[in-house]
Amino acid sequence: MITPRTAPSVHLRQKGLYPPPCRIRQLTSTYHKINYQTDYRVLPVANHQDETRTAYDGVVELYASLFANRLETQPFSRAMIGTFAELVRATGNLRAADVGCGPGHLTAMLHELGLDAFGLDLAPGMVDHARQAHPALRFQEARMESLPIEDAALGGVLAHYSMIHTPPGELPELLSEQVRVLAPDGLLLVSFFGTDGQEPVRFDHKVAPAYSWPVDRLAELLGDAGLDPFARLLHDPASDRGFLDAHLLARRS
């Protein structure tokens, strides 16, 4: 997938105005990656995305049944999402994206908390389920590194354990995309698995391979992307994985 360096190029792509054809330098079958001799940077569409999409499409009903309670058994996550929604409302921009929305349960929760919320997900099966479960809300299939949202449009972005499957080297691109769609003073809430040490740890998630992150390290990445991390919450895990459950709340500078 070709990712432009600048926001204006995003608009060109969305309008179908692509650059002239150019010579292909390399095609790597492992990552389906094409390098072009242009001013465009190349972001690999890695196999992990295809594998993650297929894996989640295979557990839609089970996954939805496990999380239909909208965090009734997870008070810390519920509190952070409530705080996020309150702060987004205070900006006056109620538009909020639930990025990696899955079956749409948290999109519905954001709507109930007063936001003009919509959901985006990589897996078409999840999007179909979300549309059926919440017909009054909007859901769309999308990749996190290329969101179908105009620049500086949103008051908030929720990424609830939706970046955990992203390899560490690709995470800065995703965070930059979250910043692009946020209005000034817009809020990003990232929830993830926290770990000790200095480096992310890859582990076998029940659906697809995932990564846990040192909280300070992820906070640094948020800062590098143009966000100001101003609140964090760490607590013992709600599952048996052994990692901390971690939440970082950041504001676009």
Side-chain angles (χ1 to χ4, degrees), residues 22 36 38 59 93 105 155:
C22 49
Y36 293 94
T38 67
V59 296
N93 183 348
H105 57 299

Side-chain angles (χ1 to χ4, degrees), residues 74-96:
Q74 300 180 39
F76 294 110
S77 293
R78 193 169 64 246
M80 285 299 286
I81 292 176
T83 300
F84 164 78
E86 180 177 347
L87 293 175
V88 172
R89 292 197 306 268
T91 70
N93 183 348
L94 301 183
R95 289 188 66 194

